[in-house]
Amino acid sequence: QHQPQAIQAVWQGSQGEFVELLPGSGVLREEMAYESQMMRHCLGQFANRRQLTGGYGEHYAEGCEQGRMRIFSYRTGQGQPRITINAWLQPDGRLRIDQIKGKQNRPPIDRYRADVIAFLNQLNTSEDTPDDALGMRLLRTTGTTPGWHAVETLRSEAEHLQIWQRQPRLLAHRADQRCQHQLFQSIVTVHSGG
């Protein structure tokens, strides 16, 4: 059952809002179980469902309760969970995005993609791009335009090189074959010392 006191709105999007699950609420684990039940993933799957302990849920609950992890939920309509994001707090204070899950651990549906990008850009995140973000065709870039971007919006050779190095299959989503050829040429030049 949803526990309204366990969440706090942190960012309003165009189709919903991101809330953060609050570790000090006293009902964090109940809200995690609700999130897990609605989303059909393991965030709040506890081995002991009455005491809400053990299992996969314990890992996430302990991380959050100890201040090492933050959990965000994108909710629409009557507070219906649509996306779950968890992030680990790094020693430098930035967040390392760990997972971005839609229902049943699938990538979030595309209609929420712009809100996910905008929300991630509101957070102080590390340069790491998790596999879940790559599965959504998102990349955390550095350099002249640091931040989270949809792969198809990246234009510079440096950004394309980041894609090529991290996830070359994402370049298949690019319709601009000339750009891919230029990227390949720049990689050949870099590796040949020219």
Side-chain angles (χ1 to χ4, degrees), residues 23-24 28-29 32 58 60-69:
L28 168 70
R29 290 171 181 249
M32 289 174 59
E58 190 68 34
Y60 296 105
E62 280 185 355
C64 195
E65 290 164 347
Q66 294 169 3
R68 297 179 294 117
M69 176 189 290

Side-chain angles (χ1 to χ4, degrees), residues 112-187:
Y112 303 131
R113 191 167 171 239
D115 278 354
V116 170
I117 293 168
F119 175 66
L120 291 174
N121 280 318
Q122 297 300 309
L123 299 175
N124 181 17
T125 63
S126 68
E127 285 82 19
D128 300 314
T129 301
D131 288 342
D132 289 347
L134 294 171
M136 295 177 65
R137 301 176 323 280
L138 303 181
L139 186 67
R140 171 67 165 84
T141 63
T142 58
T144 57
T145 56
W148 292 90
H149 302 278
V151 169
E152 62 272 12
T153 65
L154 300 175
R155 302 280 182 238
S156 77
E157 284 186 17
E159 292 166 335
H160 287 192
L161 183 58
Q162 284 184 32
I163 298 169
W164 187 265
Q165 290 171 332
R166 292 172 156 179
Q167 199 70 17
R169 71 178 175 82
L170 292 179
L171 290 175
H173 292 282
R174 303 274 312 158
D176 186 353
Q177 296 299 317
R178 184 173 154 259
C179 200
Q180 288 183 30
H181 176 73
Q182 288 174 342
L183 174 62
F184 178 74
Q185 291 301 320
S186 67
I187 292 169

